[in-house]
Amino acid sequence: MDRQVCDIRDIAVVSPTEMLVCDCDQTKVNLVDSTVGGVVASVTVPDMPRRICLLSEGMVAVSLSGEKVQFIKVGHGSLTLDRVLEVDKYISGITTLDTCLVTSSIDTPCVEMMSMDGKLMHTLDNQTAGRELFMKPIFLTSSRNGYIYVTDWKTNTVTKLDNTLNVLMTYTDPSLQGIYGIVSISRDQLLVCSQGNHSIVLLNPRTGNTNILLGEQDGLKNPYALTYCHTQRKLFVAPWYNTTHIQVYTLV
């Protein structure tokens, strides 16, 4: 990004040539040209933007500090603020599944599923799990085959949930250290930001096998958020805190 230092908290591809960037410092969501860089459009949101999820063509949801979800319309080269949804928890992660919102909270560690108008449908916390499942569930992603994946940077785990938030599997591995961003790129491929060892880890949720895909030798340092463009087969990675750039890698 060719602008002043910003605090990027999440990124999301919205078209083969554009992606959204949450700038926490400026309380803005920016539409960025992902081919050449540069901000195409920008909107100021009511509070600090944290995470982004794509809802349908032309609409996204952004979690904000202050227990809110901001809906934003995305046009070709434009952003327009839509409605704000008030919720009862500080949201860390956000994704969508089966026309529902799925959110995580790190203050009261849990994952919740709600309707688009905020009606609570399912809750998973340590009490309902019957064990200390979550400590800091920070990022979420959903897969095309209907699963939700949760990273917890405190427990160094990735947890797989079904579409009613039942726990199916918890993954741990020495390569998963201080984990943050996660993205599903296929049925059997997850990419995870492992900040503790400055790497992007490829996790196969079917087998549990892991492989370090990118590391410090590739210029990575403190990877925090990531997104993937299927059309261009490009991975975009935002480092932790006060950055002027997003790193781009081509996956073969």
Side-chain angles (χ1 to χ4, degrees):
M1 293 178 63
D2 56 350
R3 60 187 298 273
Q4 63 185 335
V5 173
C6 56
D7 183 3
I8 298 175
R9 292 303 175 98
D10 202 9
I11 52 180
V13 166
V14 292
S15 80
T17 60
E18 294 174 325
M19 66 178 168
L20 290 173
V21 177
C22 284
D23 183 347
C24 192
D25 273 354
Q26 304 296 317
T27 63
K28 291 180 181 294
V29 176
N30 299 314
L31 186 64
V32 172
D33 186 318
S34 59
T35 59
V36 298
V39 175
V40 175
S42 181
V43 288
T44 300
V45 291
D47 216 322
M48 293 183 291
R50 298 292 181 177
R51 310 283 182 260
I52 309 168
C53 73
L54 310 183
L55 301 178
S56 58
E57 186 174 354
M59 185 68 74
V60 301
V62 179
S63 64
L64 307 178
S65 299
E67 303 174 351
K68 302 181 185 72
V69 176
Q70 174 73 63
F71 294 88
I72 300 175
K73 293 179 181 178
V74 183
H76 182 66
S78 68
L79 298 176
T80 306
L81 294 180
D82 199 81
R83 65 190 176 97
V84 175
L85 175 66
E86 301 278 350
V87 292
D88 63 357
K89 288 184 177 64
Y90 175 98
I91 294 177
S92 177
I94 189 168
T95 190
T96 182
L97 185 69
D98 298 334
T99 70
C100 297
L101 289 175
V102 184
T103 64
S104 66
S105 174
I106 58 176
D107 290 345
T108 53
C110 69
V111 174
E112 294 185 331
M113 180 177 286
M114 67 185 73
S115 65
M116 290 295 170
D117 60 3
K119 181 181 178 181
L120 185 63
M121 301 167 67
H122 304 285
T123 298
L124 175 65
D125 55 21
N126 293 335
Q127 183 175 355
T128 56
R131 58 191 173 97
E132 194 172 65
L133 180 65
F134 299 127
M135 293 181 71
K136 298 292 181 182
I138 193 160
F139 274 89
L140 302 175
T141 192
S142 54
S143 65
R144 293 181 179 180
N145 51 341
Y147 298 113
I148 302 158
Y149 297 92
V150 187
T151 60
D152 193 307
W153 68 264
K154 191 73 171 179
T155 62
N156 296 316
T157 58
V158 176
T159 300
K160 179 180 180 180
L161 310 175
D162 69 10
N163 61 3
T164 56
L165 304 189
N166 293 303
V167 179
L168 301 178
M169 187 72 66
T170 298
Y171 307 93
T172 60
D173 189 87
S175 64
L176 298 172
Q177 296 294 325
I179 54 179
Y180 287 90
I182 184 170
V183 63
S184 172
I185 64 172
S186 74
R187 295 171 68 93
D188 292 323
Q189 290 182 306
L190 300 169
L191 297 179
V192 186
C193 288
S194 182
Q195 196 175 105
N197 53 20
H198 308 291
S199 65
I200 301 297
V201 176
L202 177 64
L203 169 63
N204 184 322
R206 180 174 54 84
T207 65
N209 293 336
T210 61
N211 180 47
I212 294 180
L213 187 67
L214 298 165
E216 285 190 272
Q217 71 276 9
D218 303 293
L220 274 178
K221 189 172 179 61
N222 298 322
Y224 182 74
L226 74 173
T227 188
Y228 180 69
C229 179
H230 289 271
T231 305
Q232 297 186 21
R233 302 181 67 85
K234 290 188 183 296
L235 176 68
F236 301 88
V237 183
W240 166 249
Y241 195 65
N242 283 353
T243 183
T244 58
H245 66 282
I246 294 171
Q247 296 169 288
V248 185
Y249 299 92
T250 300
L251 301 188
V252 296

